[in-house]
Amino acid sequence: MKRVLITGANSFVGVNVEKWLLQTPDEFIVETVDTMNEAWKKADFAKYDVVFHVAGIAHVDPKPKMAPLYYKVCLLYTSDAADEAR
């Protein structure tokens, strides 16, 4: 039994991967965590075999004033999640 954590709860990719994995409940335990708040920082990544990080901002018009938010969500959160998963 593999334990999987999907970061980016309610994301298109995350939801569909979760549905797919749960088709074989004897093989996978799947949990999700939202990265739109600080909840993910409280998650115990050590108890998972796999961390599948799919959080990000997509399908929006690029606007220069939004660059700091894109940087934070798509780069910094990814880096932080990878550090937690080590």
Side-chain angles (χ1 to χ4, degrees):
M1 178 87 56
K2 296 288 183 189
R3 295 185 61 88
V4 178
L5 175 65
I6 299 174
T7 63
N10 301 316
S11 67
F12 177 80
V13 174
V15 166
N16 285 287
V17 168
E18 180 181 17
K19 286 179 187 176
W20 183 73
L21 291 172
L22 291 176
Q23 291 177 11
T24 53
D26 55 320
E27 293 183 40
F28 299 100
I29 296 172
V30 181
E31 295 181 25
T32 63
V33 66
D34 193 353
T35 56
M36 295 299 287
N37 55 44
E38 299 295 312
W40 71 274
K41 292 183 178 182
K42 297 174 186 164
D44 179 8
F45 283 47
K47 67 181 185 178
Y48 299 99
D49 300 300
V50 175
V51 176
F52 185 58
H53 180 70
V54 294
I57 296 177
H59 306 296
V60 293
D61 291 329
K63 296 175 183 159
K65 70 180 182 180
M66 297 295 289
L69 178 63
Y70 300 152
Y71 180 81
K72 179 179 176 183
V73 172
C74 296
L75 181 67
L76 292 181
Y77 283 179
T78 300
S79 177
D80 291 347
D83 287 342
E84 287 294 324
R86 280 193 226 169

